[in-house]
Amino acid sequence: MSQPDMVEINQGEHVPRYWAEPVNPVELTLHRPAELTGRKLAQGQLNGRPGPDQGYALSLYEHLAGTIQTIPGEQLADIQAGVVACAMAHAAELGRAPILADLKRVLDHFGFFGGATSEQIRTRQDRFQGISHNYQALRRMVAFTQMEINLQE
């Protein structure tokens, strides 16, 4: 640390110097619990990629779960999977983590807050049916929904 000119330095005092031991590059590997290791992720159409924080989007969904209005035959697990996936895709498109507005936008797009038109209900029945158990159908639904939302903006 530098000192002002008016402070005298006693030449007899030992001033420590910076030193570092040699670094072994083998020891610098990361050991994080969520690190993607082993086989490579599947690449190609409809495979997606890891998002910023899916757990946070799920916790945001729980804040809105009480306001969702469903029709007979709709499964809450399907709605959750579809809405969270679409919200994550929208947030990733903007280069950020998901926020409550992303989920609200998707829920409003499908009329889950009430007052759904017959077209919205038909679309919901087609897209959300069994979506929580079919990853490829989920990816297709996200792609279609993103196109529709982007065209509305």
Side-chain angles (χ1 to χ4, degrees), residues 14-115:
H14 172 69
V15 180
R17 295 179 180 246
Y18 172 79
W19 64 276
E21 293 181 14
V23 177
N24 184 355
V26 175
E27 295 176 7
L28 292 179
T29 59
L30 299 175
H31 299 288
R32 299 180 290 193
E35 188 70 26
L36 298 173
T37 60
R39 67 181 180 91
K40 288 188 174 186
L41 294 174
Q43 306 257 331
Q45 189 177 11
L46 299 176
N47 281 316
R49 62 183 63 86
D53 191 355
Q54 294 90 346
Y56 183 61
L58 287 168
S59 68
L60 290 175
Y61 176 84
E62 293 303 318
H63 291 289
L64 299 171
T67 62
I68 294 173
Q69 297 179 12
T70 62
I71 58 173
E74 288 182 327
Q75 300 295 319
L76 292 177
D78 292 335
I79 295 170
Q80 180 185 31
V83 168
V84 168
C86 289
M88 289 292 302
H90 182 70
E93 193 174 86
L94 298 174
R96 59 171 170 73
I99 58 175
L100 201 57
D102 296 326
L103 281 93
K104 286 181 178 180
R105 171 179 272 132
V106 176
L107 288 167
D108 188 47
H109 176 73
F110 289 109
F112 282 115
F113 288 134

